[in-house]
Amino acid sequence: MNRIRVLPENVANQIAAGEVVERPASVVKELVENALDAEARHVRVEIQAGGRSLIRVSDDGAGMSRDDALLCFERHATSKIRSAEDLQRVGTMGFRGEALPSIASVSRLVLTTREREGVSPEAVQVIIHGGKIVEVRSAAGPPGTSVEVRHLFYNLPARRKFLRSEETERAHIQHYLTLAAVAFPEVGFHFVNRQRTVWRLPPTELDPADAASRLAALRERLRGLYGSELRLIPTDYRARLRLPHLPDESLSGEGPFHEEDALRIWGFIGAPGVSRATRADQHIFVNRRPIEHRGLNRAILEGYHTALMKGRFPVCALFIECDPALVDVNVHPAKREVKFRLELQVRTAVTQAVRQALLRYAAGEGAEPARLASRGESGAASGEERGAAPEPPAESPAPTEQELKLPGDVLARLRPRREEIPRTPRSEAESRLPTAFPGTRSPEPISGPASSDEGRAEGRPEGSKLPASESAPLLQIPLRVLGVLGDLYVAMESDRGLVLMDQHAAHERVLFEQMMEQLESGPVPAQRLLLPETVELGPRDAAFLRRNLEALARLGVRLNEFGERTFLLDALPSFVSAPDPRRFVLDLLDELQRTGVRVNRFRLGEEAVAKTVCRHAVKAGDPLKPPEIERLVEQLRRCRMPYTCPHGRPTLIEFSYRELEKRFGRTG
């Protein structure tokens, strides 16, 4: 008796369905991708019972002829792949030819389609139950395709009972449709749940060749999905990818390169202070395909760096565009994950794109009229490590030796160039009162680069109108000091509303950037260890360290090869206080490899500097007089990233007049 046999076709289809169709959201995903590949301008998705009893996806795309309508239910039948070479450059959303036969094998499916440019006024309708064609007939229907899927997994009760609740399945469907709507703002989406419209998003006109048009279309689509109050920063960044001679040549960055190709990263990221407790609102698209990629998630987080608190995650909608030959979209059955040929270069570019956008936001460049995209980047940024940022004036101060207790050889390069923020003591009774100015004329505002008093009348906004400076970054508009609350929070007024500044966090940021500029201005001194330490590594870590020995030595971390996978550590940077030098090196290697960043002074010394400036910045209870506060605000304006302290906590919080009016019940 033969032990090996060919499975029946319906069993093979059901096995394939197990990979392609995990839940109702998988059906919606496959059908919507087919509609998008058919160049649909409108897509309507209707579900009932979380997709268990009904999923109907209708579009106005190219449609199919009668022969194509029958052929599309054959295994591996597709219009998107012609040869094996096409798999190396996949430019469509779907390409395997397994979706429709797999879905039809586990449901009762009705396909109605009519060619958009066909001569026949009739549509063709194909009815399939459990993978078997029941009927093929002519029907009435508009140009395009409609696929109706009823009773999903009706013939597989074991699979059906593992589906979650109706609300959970609906949430998965809505999540995918949100991603599709963000990826294709030029397509209108209509989502109906239990015969009630959840949202209807009209198509947006855009010019694919115009960066401003694409950002405007994406901004409009994000407004439709998330509202207009979310503060996002636009980014449009280009980088060069170094490509090897041969497809099978090592892509580790070594060896000869002869060609360069462009990588473009554009979209929106959350402004400092806009974050979530999870990555649920972190949307990444590669050639418009929504994906999940841990490496890119870490690259985005690295781009925020000191602008985000630990345990919080950025909000973003980022689009990565590159040659399809550089991306493998066939590494996951549901195409949720992709693999890059040059992953390290892509991750580094994503980090730089995020960092450049944040730096330009802090500098007040590229502000747009819309609140959703205010304070952002409007043009392509360069690919430098720290990015283009405003240089501090020549008189910008450095902390004094008495204030920053660092080793002497580091402090030798950190001599003060002007006085620090003066600290004037006052009596205990006086220190418990807010620093206000009753009975006197309000002090002059701390001028910013931009000034606007439009919409102001008798000290308050004219009705609910927003001033012209609504789109300007907070530190680019005039601020008037009102007082100090609790010897910590500085209250200021702008033409947009109320601003609170944490004096400790603000001083931390000022000192941190001054220290980092000094450390980056020259070679880092090394301090020899009393007894050298041996560091033994695995093959991958040893190879990484061997490639970066010279860079680490320039930064004060001196290691020498002491065997195939063993290194001898004999010096560390003088500002590093490490009780266990070996553990310090291991942690440093893990961090550098995890984030995918280059070995640089900024990355190496910042943790020690952040801890130092935290100890020496002004604290809660340290009294500051108005001139001292004004000097602190001016120093904060000169910082590259002024809106957070080195630990990611906000330095400034703004309450607009609109928010205040809502709190007091003046508006609905």
Side-chain angles (χ1 to χ4, degrees):
M1 179 180 178
N2 294 333
R3 295 187 178 184
I4 299 176
R5 61 182 64 88
V6 178
L7 291 175
E9 183 178 357
N10 64 324
V11 177
N13 284 336
Q14 290 181 3
I15 292 174
E19 297 180 353
V20 177
V21 185
E22 300 178 21
R23 59 195 333 150
S26 305
V27 176
V28 174
K29 175 181 182 295
E30 298 292 346
L31 298 181
V32 170
E33 285 181 353
N34 285 341
L36 295 173
D37 285 338
E39 300 178 350
R41 287 283 295 167
H42 297 84
V43 177
R44 175 187 170 96
V45 179
E46 182 179 353
I47 64 171
Q48 291 183 11
R52 298 182 188 209
S53 62
L54 171 66
I55 297 173
R56 183 184 293 118
V57 178
S58 307
D59 67 72
D60 59 353
M64 292 182 285
S65 65
R66 183 185 183 90
D67 291 340
D68 285 345
L70 293 172
L71 189 60
C72 72
F73 291 102
E74 297 293 331
R75 291 287 304 279
H76 308 302
T78 179
S79 62
K80 303 161 188 177
I81 296 294
R82 298 292 182 185
S83 63
E85 287 73 18
D86 293 341
L87 291 173
Q88 307 300 321
R89 302 179 62 89
V90 176
T92 58
M93 301 296 290
F95 57 90
R96 289 184 174 178
E98 294 181 351
L100 283 176
S102 297
I103 295 170
S105 68
V106 293
S107 65
R108 293 185 170 94
L109 184 145
V110 178
L111 169 71
T112 305
T113 183
R114 174 184 162 194
E115 286 187 291
R116 184 165 55 192
E117 299 178 356
V119 295
S120 174
E122 292 183 341
V124 60
Q125 190 172 80
V126 181
I127 303 174
I128 300 179
H129 290 173
K132 295 183 178 180
I133 297 179
V134 175
E135 185 179 1
V136 180
R137 63 188 182 189
S138 298
T145 302
S146 174
V147 181
E148 182 181 287
V149 178
R150 292 185 179 272
H151 307 125
L152 186 64
F153 297 134
Y154 81 98
N155 53 350
L156 291 175
R159 293 289 303 277
R160 189 175 179 86
K161 73 179 182 180
F162 276 97
L163 295 178
R164 302 297 182 183
S165 66
E166 176 181 332
E167 184 62 24
T168 299
E169 298 298 341
R170 180 207 60 78
H172 282 283
I173 292 172
Q174 185 166 344
H175 175 68
Y176 168 72
L177 289 177
T178 300
L179 295 177
V182 172
F184 292 86
E186 73 273 21
V187 178
F189 284 86
H190 186 191
F191 179 37
V192 179
N193 178 36
R194 301 175 69 177
Q195 300 181 351
R196 297 182 63 181
T197 296
V198 178
W199 36 251
R200 186 196 298 267
L201 302 171
T204 305
E205 295 295 331
L206 65 86
D207 181 2
D210 184 13
S213 174
R214 300 209 301 180
L215 283 170
L218 177 59
R219 180 176 63 244
E220 193 64 31
R221 180 54 54 88
L222 291 173
R223 278 177 174 164
L225 289 168
Y226 296 106
S228 60
E229 293 301 318
L230 188 61
R231 292 183 296 113
L232 299 178
I233 305 171
T235 179
D236 193 354
Y237 179 91
R238 294 181 184 272
R240 309 299 298 180
L241 296 178
R242 297 190 303 167
L243 304 180
H245 274 299
L246 302 174
D248 58 349
E249 192 169 353
S250 171
L251 302 178
S252 63
E254 302 174 348
F257 289 81
H258 74 103
E259 186 182 359
E260 288 187 343
D261 200 2
L263 175 74
R264 184 177 182 186
I265 302 167
W266 66 280
F268 289 93
I269 62 173
V274 178
S275 63
R276 297 291 184 269
T278 67
R279 291 191 176 95
D281 289 334
Q282 204 169 103
H283 306 320
I284 305 174
F285 306 86
V286 175
N287 293 337
R288 306 188 88 177
R289 180 188 300 277
I291 65 160
E292 299 173 4
H293 198 287
R294 292 183 180 180
L296 296 182
N297 291 141
R298 289 194 293 264
I300 294 170
L301 195 63
E302 175 65 19
Y304 274 83
H305 205 39
T306 60
L308 197 68
M309 287 188 291
K310 288 186 177 180
R312 304 291 294 182
F313 298 95
V315 173
C316 71
L318 278 183
F319 290 77
I320 301 173
E321 295 179 355
C322 62
D323 190 330
L326 301 177
V327 185
D328 185 358
V329 299
N330 202 25
V331 298
H332 191 278
K335 302 186 288 292
R336 282 199 299 263
E337 300 175 5
V338 299
K339 185 176 181 180
F340 294 97
R341 288 183 64 197
L342 305 170
E343 181 171 332
L344 182 58
Q345 294 185 46
V346 174
R347 286 169 55 184
T348 301
V350 169
T351 297
Q352 294 304 325
V354 173
R355 183 170 296 173
Q356 292 288 342
L358 291 171
L359 289 172
R360 293 177 68 87
Y361 163 82
E365 300 178 29
E368 298 184 5
R371 179 177 179 82
L372 177 74
S374 65
R375 315 162 192 162
E377 173 183 353
S378 60
S382 65
E384 296 296 325
E385 175 67 20
R386 293 292 304 276
E391 292 295 331
E395 70 273 15
S396 180
T400 64
E401 184 172 342
Q402 290 74 23
E403 280 297 305
L404 296 176
K405 307 299 184 183
L406 290 180
D409 49 358
V410 178
L411 287 170
R413 300 198 313 277
L414 300 177
R415 301 297 180 187
R417 286 173 294 189
R418 68 180 170 106
E419 62 175 304
E420 61 165 331
I421 299 173
R423 313 250 287 275
T424 305
R426 51 181 178 168
S427 67
E428 181 180 354
E430 186 183 3
S431 67
R432 286 195 291 264
L433 298 175
T435 305
F437 315 102
T440 61
R441 186 173 62 88
S442 297
E444 292 298 319
I446 307 172
S447 300
S451 177
S452 173
D453 290 330
E454 296 183 21
R456 301 279 291 154
E458 298 182 1
R460 65 177 305 276
E462 185 179 334
S464 59
K465 293 182 180 180
L466 295 176
S469 61
E470 176 68 19
S471 63
L474 186 55
L475 287 172
Q476 303 295 315
I477 61 176
L479 299 173
R480 181 179 293 106
V481 177
L482 302 178
V484 181
L485 309 177
D487 285 338
L488 177 60
Y489 303 107
V490 179
M492 296 179 286
E493 181 190 18
S494 72
D495 62 352
R496 302 195 312 220
L498 175 67
V499 179
L500 294 178
M501 180 180 73
D502 184 330
Q503 67 182 31
H504 174 70
H507 197 202
E508 266 191 297
R509 169 56 67 176
V510 170
L511 296 181
F512 176 78
E513 294 206 3
Q514 291 171 356
M515 283 287 298
M516 292 309 303
E517 287 174 6
Q518 293 293 329
L519 289 177
E520 292 180 342
S521 63
V524 176
Q527 182 174 351
R528 294 185 64 88
L529 301 180
L530 185 62
L531 294 175
E533 295 268 356
T534 57
V535 181
E536 189 170 351
L537 304 172
R540 178 181 296 181
D541 291 340
F544 176 82
L545 180 56
R546 194 173 290 111
R547 291 196 301 269
N548 292 282
L549 282 176
E550 291 186 10
L552 287 170
R554 290 194 298 270
L555 302 179
V557 181
R558 290 212 299 260
L559 291 130
N560 299 294
E561 294 190 58
F562 198 60
E564 184 177 353
R565 293 187 290 111
T566 305
F567 298 83
L568 195 66
L569 172 66
D570 61 6
L572 286 176
S574 55
F575 56 81
V576 171
S577 176
D580 187 350
R582 180 178 175 277
R583 172 53 54 187
F584 171 81
V585 172
L586 294 176
D587 292 343
L588 177 63
L589 291 178
D590 289 342
E591 180 71 9
L592 293 173
Q593 292 186 86
R594 182 182 67 83
T595 57
V597 300
R598 296 186 303 190
V599 179
N600 56 80
R601 299 185 184 88
F602 184 79
R603 191 67 183 163
L604 189 61
E606 64 188 8
E607 185 175 354
V609 172
K611 290 179 180 178
T612 302
V613 299
C614 184
R615 291 195 300 267
H616 297 285
V618 293
K619 303 290 194 303
D622 291 346
L624 294 180
K625 288 187 175 181
E628 302 166 349
I629 295 172
E630 293 177 6
R631 191 176 300 118
L632 177 58
V633 174
E634 286 302 323
Q635 290 177 334
L636 195 62
R637 289 188 199 277
R638 300 188 185 103
C639 291
R640 290 182 175 180
M641 190 61 63
Y643 298 102
T644 63
C645 77
H647 309 290
R649 293 187 296 106
T651 57
L652 298 159
I653 297 178
E654 181 180 20
F655 299 92
S656 67
Y657 282 115
R658 182 190 291 120
E659 295 175 80
L660 295 176
E661 288 172 350
K662 286 182 179 179
R663 292 289 184 115
F664 284 100
R666 290 180 173 271
T667 59

